């Protein structure tokens, strides 16, 4: 072959090798044959033995198709002499890749066709190899992109990215692999049989979906999404193609799309949701590969969404708990303020030199709690015919003169003998006032007053006057809470007024007793000094722990507020909070008694105090066996060293009353950081770290990090155990005797809840009560214990005895509480006189009107009511008579500190409670008696009934019955 020809052929073959893909190669081969003088050239090829393709998707003539099939059967060569057509294979490989040609050629040209095919065969092999390598490289690139996307999805689930941003990023990831301009994610809840469209982007459809709202599946019945979830099978194609894939009618929801693909998100055999992409424009349709990819990615998207939703739910619950704790702290602070106010009013009743001074001081005190710019005190004359206004302050300068009793609003409130709140901005209030006016019971109120609140001043059952505030300013009114507060304060004011009036009358009537008054004044001065000392001591006690003398939680919180403010002023200032909890303290306390436990806490407090640096660090007792340290730090290692000193301080045993006690401490540390803005956040995170240290083996130190939030998930397990325990009836009552102090005879029992856990044994409420309360399981557990307690009464009680059942405040939110309880008693064949209920003071404050009605109905049916933990709240003094209680139970905190030789402190409180109870004809039970000295002290004070570990610990019915048999033996 001449050199020029060889060069031409080489150039042509090189051009063939430059083909970008198989179709391009086929076009170039056809052009080559046509350049060699052949006519009607068709090039055909297959990849992997798939269907036959033609150049430029031309339709192959039916005779040519038969000729090709003959060539494939006859060694890749066939001739149609009649038509002058030849079919020849250029390259056929075992992998199924093949390329051939069909063209016009007379028999004389067959050898030339064969020559050309042999010439092109090596080039075809090279092109097929290039095609395979290119396809492999693209598959690797796609696999790498997919792996990167999955890593990105996993990272998003654990990042601080919020849910909307995460969903938009997931949309972008799907869009990398397929057309996804229109995309939505729907999550399915099989319990509700409903879905929510957590993410939806659509360029054509005007339907919107609330991402937080579940939509019943019935509203989407026979829609495409409905079919994907119901059949648990993907759907893909045009609307017409999809109609052939479903087994029922198809309902059009939203705009019709050119191409639609939806895949179910599966967990095992359960559908958890659906992913959908769709196109409204003419474009290449979705493929089976797209469907497989979307299904694969869907499971990872679901995992990421589950983690993110669980994280958001955890954060929501933490926020709710934080808010609840904040409200509780505010309520406690308000209680402290009110208690201080009572002391101030009581002090004023003794120290005010005249009534005008007393009135003005009372006005100032009330003004600290509510709007009192318009305030007056009205008093009835001794004969009850005239009303006087000894103190009247009005912002408009109005005055009030004494007058005979009429039909004014002040007289109306005093006639009713109960507080009256009037809000003239409320139509129903205006209508009520007009009705009273029409009946002649009340003269019309002046138009100027927008709101009016009056509370009668009561001395026993007698109304002596009225305390009132009013408002002329729009938007300034009074609430039921203000009414309750003013009512509470009014009792002390009434007593103070009576003392002041009595003092004035005595001074005017008995001039010859000036000397005795002077002596009495001296005594009062001494009492005032004592009261001031008591006030100082109370202030100290408010901020310090009574047992150890260390600062308490309130004091620590105040110092944390100061530390946070210091850090805000100086970013370089750093501090740390160490939260400490004694290990095995409850075991020690239960085994050797509370007195030894208290002595142990004192020694622990002393050792902790020696660990801190004077003037720079502070150690506080938060309650129980929990302590905390606030310290300045230069580096995190300083806090770690302090934590180690605390642990080392308890390595030596503690000797208490001849006993060697071993305990340890677990320490959680929170370091100051710009994101901390409240003391509660610092203490919460330090507490979490401490619990992790305790869980890790005790005697350890843990520094808080965000991963500790995951421990909260463990609470879910406890909640699940509780729900299973309710179903399995695992809760049972233990009974602690209530005895006569003089001889120890049992008069009744208190039923106490215990959890008979199948793995952990018998658990006291402290191990699960907080979880049950937070999860809403508490009421179901209580009713189970009530039911089992009533079943025990026949065997437990002897003639004249009774059982006390504890009712939490949550129960009294139900209007049918008394009806349900009485029906339960009747169904058990138990006499109501054998059952009493116990409530805490906190329960009386939530809804006093409703609770009073429940108490009345229970009492009318023979069920008596006892007030538990008496003395720990501020409402009981005013509510004892109102609720007509039968029994008060003195809180154990007063009994544990009882000292006969000390006339103050707990002794004075117990003496006062006993005196008040005798005056109100109430039965008194002293709780928490642990020593014979406490029993004897209570007897000397006049107490008759009590309960506590000194007499017996709570025990099951079987244990009590077995003990009776032993006593008889």
């Amino acid at each position: 072959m001449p050199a020029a020809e060889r060069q031409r052929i080489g150039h042509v073959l090189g051009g063939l090798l430059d083909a970008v893909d198989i179709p391009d190669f086929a076009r170039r081969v056809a052009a080559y044959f046509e350049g060699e003088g052949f006519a009607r050239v068709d090039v055909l090829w297959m990849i992997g033995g798939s269907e036959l393709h033609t150049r430029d998707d031309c339709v192959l003539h039916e005779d040519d198709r038969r000729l090709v099939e003959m060539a494939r059967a006859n060694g890749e060569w066939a001739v149609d002499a009649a038509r002058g057509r030849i079919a020849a294979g250029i390259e056929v490989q075992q992998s199924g890749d093949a390329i051939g040609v069909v063209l016009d050629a007379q028999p004389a040209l067959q050898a030339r066709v064969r020559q050309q095919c042999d010439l092109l065969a090596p080039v075809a092999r090279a092109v097929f190899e290039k095609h395979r390598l290119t396809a492999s490289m693209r598959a690797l690139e796609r696999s790498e992109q997919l792996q990167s996307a999955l890593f990105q999805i996993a990272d998003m689930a654990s990042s601080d990215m919020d849910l909307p941003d995460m969903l938009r990023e997931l949309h972008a990831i799907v869009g990398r692999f397929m057309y996804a301009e229109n995309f939505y994610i729907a999550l399915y809840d099989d319990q509700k049989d409903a879905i929510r469209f957590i993410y939806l982007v659509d360029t054509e459809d005007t339907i919107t979906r609330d991402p937080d709202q579940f939509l019943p599946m019935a509203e989407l019945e026979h829609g495409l999404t409905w079919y994907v979830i119901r059949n648990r099978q993907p759907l893909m194609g045009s609307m017409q193609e999809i109609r052939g894939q479903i087994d029922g009618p198809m309902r059009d929801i939203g705009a019709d799309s050119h191409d639609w693909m939806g895949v179910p998100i599966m967990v095992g055999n359960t559908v958890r949701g659906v992913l959908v992409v769709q196109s409204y424009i003419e474009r290449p349709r979705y493929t089976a590969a797209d469907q497989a990819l979307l299904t694969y990615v869907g499971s990872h998207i679901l995992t990421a969404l589950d983690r993110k939703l669980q994280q958001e739910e955890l954060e929501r619950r933490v926020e709710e708990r934080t808010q609840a704790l904040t409200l509780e702290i505010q309520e406690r602070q308000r209680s402290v303020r009110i208690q201080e106010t009572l002391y101030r009013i009581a002090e004023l009743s003794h120290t005010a030199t005249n009534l005008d001074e007393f009135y003005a001081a009372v006005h100032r005190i009330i003004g600290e709690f509510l709007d009192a710019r318009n305030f007056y005190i009205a008093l009835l004359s001794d004969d009850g015919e005239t009303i006087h206004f000894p103190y009247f302050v009005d912002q408009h300068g109005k005055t009030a003169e004494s007058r005979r009793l009429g039909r004014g609003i002040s007289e109306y409130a005093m006639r009713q003998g109960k507080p009256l709140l009037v809000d003239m901005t409320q139509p129903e209030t205006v209508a009520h006032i007009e009705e009273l006016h029409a009946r002649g019971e009340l003269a019309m109120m002046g138009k100027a007053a927008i709101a009016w609140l009056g509370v009668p001043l009561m001395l026993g059952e007698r109304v002596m006057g009225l305390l009132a505030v009013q408002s002329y300013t729009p938007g300034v009114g009074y609430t039921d809470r203000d009414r309750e507060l003013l009512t509470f304060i009014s009792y002390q004011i009434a007593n103070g007024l009576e003392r002041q009036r009595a003092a004035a009358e005595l001074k005017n009537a008995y001039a010859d007793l000036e000397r005795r008054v002077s002596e009495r004044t001296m005594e009062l001065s001494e009492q005032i000094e004592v009261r001031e000392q008591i006030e100082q001591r109370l202030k100290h006690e408010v901020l310090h722990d009574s047992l150890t003398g260390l600062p308490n939680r309130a004091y620590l919180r105040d110092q944390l507020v100061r530390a946070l403010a210091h850090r805000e002023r100086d970013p370089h200032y750093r501090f740390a909070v160490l939260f400490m909890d004694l290990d095995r303290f409850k075991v020690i306390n239960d085994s050797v008694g509370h007195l030894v436990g208290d002595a142990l806490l004192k020694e622990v407090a002393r050792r902790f105090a020696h660990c801190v640096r004077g003037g720079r660090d502070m150690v506080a007792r938060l309650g129980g066996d929990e302590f905390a340290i606030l310290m300045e730090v230069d580096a995190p290692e300083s806090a770690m060293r302090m934590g180690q000193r605390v642990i080392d301080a308890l390595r030596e045993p503690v000797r208490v009353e001849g006993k060697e006690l071993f305990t340890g401490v677990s320490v959680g540390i929170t370091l100051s950081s710009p994101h901390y803005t409240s003391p509660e956040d610092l203490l919460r995170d330090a507490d979490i770290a401490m619990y992790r240290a305790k869980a890790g083996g005790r005697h350890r130190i843990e520094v808080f990090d965000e991963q500790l939030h995951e421990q909260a998930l463990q609470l879910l397990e406890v909640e699940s155990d509780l729900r299973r325990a309710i179903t399995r009836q695992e809760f049972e009552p233990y009974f602690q005797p209530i005895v006569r102090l003089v001889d120890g005879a049992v008069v009744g029992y208190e039923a106490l809840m215990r959890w008979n856990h199948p793995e952990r044994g018998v658990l006291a409420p402290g191990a699960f009560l907080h979880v049950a309360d937070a999860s809403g399981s508490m009421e179901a557990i209580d009713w189970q214990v009530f039911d089992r307690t009533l079943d025990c009464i026949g065997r437990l009680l002897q003639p004249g005895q009774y059982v006390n059942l504890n009712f939490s405040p949550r129960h009294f939110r139900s209007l049918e509480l008394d009806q349900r309880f009485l029906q339960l008693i009747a169904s058990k064949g138990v006499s109501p006189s054998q059952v009493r209920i116990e409530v805490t003071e906190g329960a009386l404050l939530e809804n006093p009107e409703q609770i009073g009605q429940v108490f009345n109905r229970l009492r009318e049916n023979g069920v008596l009511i006892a007030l538990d933990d008496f003395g720990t709240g501020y409402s009981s003094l005013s509510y004892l008579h109102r609720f007509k209680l039968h029994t008060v139970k003195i809180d154990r905190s007063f009994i544990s500190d009882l000292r006969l030789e000390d006339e103050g402190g707990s002794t004075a409180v117990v003496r006062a409670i006993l005196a008040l109870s005798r005056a109100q004809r109430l039965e008194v039970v002293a709780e928490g008696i642990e020593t014979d000295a406490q029993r004897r002290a209570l007897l000397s004070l006049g107490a008759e009934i009590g309960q506590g570990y000194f007499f017996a610990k709570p025990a099951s019915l079987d244990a009590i019955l077995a003990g009776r048999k032993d006593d008889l033996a």
Side-chain angles (χ1 to χ4, degrees):
M1 181 182 298
E5 182 64 13
R6 287 199 306 271
Q7 185 176 3
R8 183 187 69 81
I9 293 176
H11 179 72
V12 171
L13 295 179
L16 293 172
L17 285 172
D18 290 337
V20 296
D21 54 20
I22 300 300
D24 185 33
F25 179 68
R27 285 191 295 270
R28 298 189 183 204
V29 168
Y32 172 76
F33 274 102
E34 289 170 351
E36 292 297 320
F38 295 97
R40 291 202 300 155
V41 180
D42 283 324
V43 179
L44 307 96
W45 76 91
M46 291 190 301
I47 301 297
S50 62
E51 62 179 308
L52 193 65
H53 298 277
T54 61
R55 175 170 58 95
D56 298 329
D57 293 329
C58 296
V59 178
L60 190 64
H61 192 277
E62 188 61 34
D63 292 335
D64 286 346
R65 183 176 296 277
R66 285 194 294 270
L67 188 63
V68 169
E69 293 300 326
M70 290 175 56
R72 294 177 64 183
N74 297 330
E76 308 305 329
W77 185 266
V79 176
D80 185 348
R83 296 175 55 241
R85 298 284 282 176
I86 294 177
I90 298 173
E91 173 65 13
V92 179
Q93 300 182 344
Q94 291 182 351
S95 63
D97 296 347
I99 188 169
V101 62
V102 179
L103 46 75
D104 287 346
Q106 295 301 321
L109 297 175
Q110 291 181 14
R112 187 166 172 234
V113 171
R114 172 62 70 187
Q115 180 183 11
Q116 296 298 333
C117 289
D118 291 342
L119 179 65
L120 294 176
V123 179
R125 284 194 293 274
V127 170
F128 279 131
E129 183 64 22
K130 177 181 177 183
H131 171 75
R132 284 192 292 272
L133 292 175
T134 301
S136 177
M137 183 178 66
R138 289 175 179 171
L140 287 173
E141 289 175 351
R142 188 175 180 86
S143 175
E144 183 178 356
Q145 290 176 354
L146 178 60
Q147 191 69 28
S148 174
L150 296 181
F151 278 123
Q152 187 177 354
I153 292 172
D155 288 342
M156 283 191 292
S158 57
S159 70
D160 57 358
M161 181 184 297
D162 61 22
L163 184 60
D165 289 342
M166 176 179 167
L167 290 168
R168 284 191 290 271
E169 189 62 30
L170 289 173
H171 183 185
I173 289 173
V174 173
R176 296 177 196 168
F177 298 98
M178 64 189 70
Y179 178 80
E181 187 174 1
N182 307 283
F183 173 70
Y184 64 83
I185 304 173
L187 299 182
Y188 175 64
D189 187 331
D190 58 351
Q191 299 295 323
K192 299 178 180 178
D193 193 26
I195 65 173
R196 63 171 175 149
F197 291 83
I198 193 171
Y199 182 78
L200 189 151
V201 172
D202 199 295
T203 59
E204 296 289 335
D205 204 336
T206 58
I207 296 177
T208 60
R209 306 290 188 189
D210 186 344
D212 296 323
Q213 180 182 359
F214 275 95
L215 192 66
M217 285 291 286
E219 295 187 19
L220 302 176
E221 188 172 6
H222 296 136
L224 298 185
T225 304
W226 184 86
Y227 273 113
V228 171
I229 293 175
R230 281 287 183 264
N231 296 337
R232 296 186 293 182
Q233 294 293 330
L235 293 175
M236 181 177 69
S238 65
M239 295 297 101
Q240 187 61 38
E241 290 171 337
I242 290 178
R243 281 188 173 87
Q245 300 173 25
I246 60 179
D247 54 1
M250 189 176 85
R251 175 185 168 196
D252 293 331
I253 301 177
D256 283 345
S257 58
H258 168 70
D259 199 12
W260 194 93
M261 180 172 67
V263 299
I265 306 175
M266 305 289 293
V267 176
N269 292 324
T270 302
V271 179
R272 289 288 309 281
V274 62
L275 295 180
V276 173
V277 292
Q278 54 186 328
S279 168
Y280 297 106
I281 61 175
E282 293 285 342
R283 56 169 303 280
R285 295 191 178 277
Y286 296 115
T287 66
D290 293 332
Q291 176 183 306
L293 177 63
L294 193 60
T295 301
Y296 180 65
V297 173
S299 62
H300 292 78
I301 289 177
L302 176 63
T303 300
L305 285 176
D306 280 345
R307 291 184 61 185
K308 182 60 69 174
L309 291 171
Q310 289 171 3
Q311 179 183 350
E312 290 193 346
E313 175 65 15
L314 174 61
E315 291 173 354
R316 182 189 64 78
R317 294 183 62 187
V318 168
E319 179 65 23
E320 289 177 353
R321 181 57 179 158
T322 301
Q323 292 176 358
L325 290 174
T326 301
L327 291 175
E328 181 180 344
I329 291 170
Q330 291 173 352
E331 187 61 32
R332 290 184 180 179
Q333 291 173 341
R334 184 172 183 268
S335 175
V336 171
R337 287 184 62 201
I338 293 175
Q339 195 66 40
E340 292 175 350
T341 299
L342 294 181
Y343 284 122
R344 290 167 61 189
I345 294 174
E347 183 178 348
L348 278 171
S349 67
H350 293 285
T351 60
T353 58
N354 55 62
L355 285 172
D356 291 337
E357 180 182 339
F358 179 77
Y359 296 148
V362 168
H363 184 193
R364 288 193 299 272
I365 291 172
I366 292 176
E368 295 175 6
F369 292 92
L370 46 84
D371 187 289
R373 287 174 290 177
N374 307 285
F375 171 79
Y376 66 86
I377 296 174
L379 296 177
L380 287 173
S381 60
D382 293 337
D383 59 7
E385 297 295 328
T386 307
I387 181 171
H388 304 284
F389 297 90
Y391 188 82
F392 192 96
V393 175
D394 190 275
Q395 68 186 86
H396 297 312
K398 295 179 181 179
T399 60
E401 301 295 336
S402 299
R403 65 171 184 259
R404 292 188 63 80
L405 287 183
R407 294 297 171 182
I409 192 168
S410 299
E411 291 95 323
Y412 177 78
M414 287 189 286
R415 285 198 306 272
Q416 298 299 314
K418 58 184 180 181
L420 177 61
L421 174 60
V422 176
D423 186 352
M424 298 302 290
T425 63
Q426 300 295 324
E428 58 270 19
T429 302
V430 175
H432 181 61
I433 295 295
E434 292 175 349
E435 180 185 353
L436 293 175
H437 174 67
R439 295 205 305 258
E441 296 185 28
L442 177 67
M444 287 298 290
M445 291 183 60
K447 295 182 179 180
I450 293 176
W452 188 89
L453 173 60
V455 177
L457 296 172
M458 307 290 295
L459 276 177
E461 298 293 331
R462 180 173 68 89
V463 177
M464 63 176 294
L466 180 81
L467 200 68
V469 290
Q470 54 188 335
S471 170
Y472 306 118
T473 306
V476 177
Y478 306 103
T479 65
D480 291 337
R481 192 176 177 86
D482 296 330
R483 178 177 60 187
E484 181 181 320
L485 171 66
L486 202 59
T487 302
F488 183 59
I489 295 177
S490 70
Y491 291 104
Q492 192 71 22
I493 294 175
N495 290 328
L497 280 172
E498 185 64 19
R499 282 194 292 270
Q500 286 287 326
R501 290 178 60 181
E505 291 173 359
L506 286 172
K507 182 178 179 181
N508 295 331
Y510 302 100
D512 59 332
L513 295 180
E514 290 182 359
R515 179 183 58 82
R516 295 172 60 184
V517 170
S518 177
E519 292 175 354
R520 181 57 181 161
T521 302
M522 182 69 70
E523 293 175 3
L524 288 175
S525 298
E526 293 175 356
Q527 290 180 11
I528 291 171
E529 183 178 353
V530 171
R531 286 175 181 271
E532 289 176 349
Q533 292 174 357
I534 292 174
E535 183 178 351
Q536 292 298 323
R537 187 176 66 188
L538 287 175
K539 288 181 179 179
H540 183 272
E541 289 177 354
V542 165
L543 296 176
H544 288 78
D545 175 48
S546 59
L547 178 65
T548 63
L550 294 176
N552 62 13
R553 184 183 291 271
Y555 194 109
L556 175 63
R557 186 187 183 282
D558 180 67
Q559 295 303 308
L560 285 172
V561 170
R562 295 173 184 269
L564 288 169
H566 187 173
R567 195 185 191 289
E568 187 173 353
R569 294 191 305 271
D570 179 9
H572 298 292
Y573 174 73
R574 290 188 288 180
F575 64 92
V577 177
L578 284 72
F579 198 105
M580 300 162 292
D581 184 89
L582 299 185
D583 299 328
R584 300 178 60 254
F585 176 73
K586 186 178 185 306
V587 176
I588 296 173
N589 214 29
D590 291 343
S591 59
V592 298
H594 294 291
L595 294 179
V596 175
D598 289 348
L600 172 63
L601 290 174
K602 291 179 182 179
E603 175 60 19
V604 169
R606 187 188 67 80
R607 294 189 184 184
F608 285 171
H610 282 113
C611 294
V612 301
R613 302 165 295 180
R616 295 187 63 187
D617 307 331
M618 183 189 77
V619 58
R621 183 187 178 207
L622 305 183
D625 59 341
E626 293 179 343
F627 296 82
I629 292 176
L630 172 61
M631 62 177 297
E632 297 180 11
V633 297
D634 301 322
E637 292 76 14
S638 301
M640 295 293 290
R641 288 195 295 271
M642 175 67 77
Q644 191 59 49
R645 285 202 299 273
V646 166
I647 292 175
D648 293 341
L650 295 184
R651 294 195 185 279
E652 294 296 325
V654 178
R655 295 192 61 82
V656 179
E657 296 185 3
K659 297 181 177 62
E660 243 186 19
L661 304 177
F662 291 87
T663 186
V665 64
S666 299
V667 183
I669 299 176
T670 303
L671 300 172
S672 59
S673 175
H675 73 272
Y676 285 118
T677 58
S678 70
E680 289 73 20
D681 293 342
L682 287 160
L683 289 172
R684 177 202 65 204
D685 291 348
D687 190 17
I688 292 173
M690 181 276 295
Y691 274 108
R692 180 169 181 176
K694 189 176 287 288
R698 305 176 187 270
H699 307 285
R700 298 177 64 252
I701 303 170
E702 285 288 347
V703 179
F704 177 81
D705 56 52
E706 290 301 326
Q707 293 180 350
L708 290 179
H709 278 301
E710 296 181 1
Q711 290 184 341
L713 297 177
Q714 296 175 359
L715 292 177
L716 297 176
E717 297 181 11
V718 179
E719 290 184 15
S720 299
D721 283 350
L722 282 173
R723 298 188 188 282
R724 285 192 292 270
I726 294 172
T727 304
R728 298 170 182 169
Q729 300 280 317
E730 293 177 358
F731 295 96
E732 61 177 313
Y734 270 43
F735 301 96
Q736 186 176 34
I738 302 172
V739 304
R740 286 200 301 264
L741 297 180
V742 66
D743 57 7
V746 176
V747 299
Y749 295 88
E750 180 179 357
L752 301 169
M753 180 191 307
R754 293 295 185 269
W755 182 3
N756 195 355
H757 197 284
E759 298 176 357
R760 300 168 61 189
V762 177
L763 301 180
F768 60 88
L769 203 60
H770 63 291
V771 180
D773 225 7
S775 64
S777 304
M778 195 64 244
E779 288 182 82
I781 296 173
D782 278 346
W783 283 106
Q784 188 174 121
V785 173
F786 296 163
D787 184 85
R788 300 192 67 174
T789 300
L790 294 177
D791 286 337
C792 297
I793 283 181
R795 293 191 294 160
L796 173 68
L797 298 188
Q798 296 178 347
Q801 295 180 348
Y802 57 85
V803 169
N804 283 7
L805 295 172
N806 288 283
F807 276 63
S808 65
R810 188 185 296 270
H811 285 286
F812 294 96
R813 298 174 185 173
S814 170
L815 296 175
E816 295 82 20
L817 170 63
D818 54 309
Q819 181 179 356
R820 179 180 179 184
F821 186 60
L822 291 170
Q823 288 175 350
L824 178 62
I825 292 176
S827 69
K828 300 295 183 180
V830 174
S831 171
S833 63
Q834 295 178 296
V835 183
R836 300 181 181 181
I837 72 170
E838 290 190 17
V839 297
T840 61
E841 294 182 75
L844 304 181
L845 300 178
E846 288 197 4
N847 192 344
E849 296 297 334
Q850 180 175 317
I851 292 175
Q853 296 173 8
V854 171
F855 282 1
N856 288 338
R857 292 192 293 267
L858 288 173
R859 191 168 47 253
E860 289 169 0
N861 285 275
V863 178
L864 302 179
I865 294 96
L867 182 62
D868 198 11
D869 299 337
F870 182 69
T872 59
Y874 67 81
S875 64
S876 303
L877 293 176
S878 61
Y879 284 3
L880 284 177
H881 179 73
R882 175 180 179 181
F883 289 107
K884 298 181 181 179
L885 302 170
H886 179 270
T887 305
V888 294
K889 302 185 76 175
I890 304 177
D891 187 69
R892 66 177 65 248
S893 62
F894 299 112
I895 306 303
S896 63
D897 294 336
L898 196 62
R899 303 288 187 275
L900 277 180
E901 64 275 7
D902 182 7
E903 285 300 319
S906 294
T907 304
V909 173
V910 173
R911 192 188 304 277
I913 293 174
L914 290 169
L916 175 63
S917 301
R918 282 193 292 270
Q920 297 285 343
R921 297 181 180 179
L922 296 171
E923 180 183 90
V924 179
V925 177
E927 294 186 297
I929 302 173
E930 298 184 353
T931 66
D932 188 54
Q934 293 171 352
R935 181 188 70 85
R936 286 186 282 103
L938 287 166
L939 280 170
S940 67
L941 292 174
E944 298 178 354
I945 303 175
Q947 68 183 100
Y949 283 9
F950 176 73
F951 301 105
K953 293 184 178 180
S956 65
L957 176 63
D958 292 339
I960 293 174
L961 296 178
R964 289 179 184 174
K965 290 181 180 179
D966 293 341
D967 292 341
L968 292 175

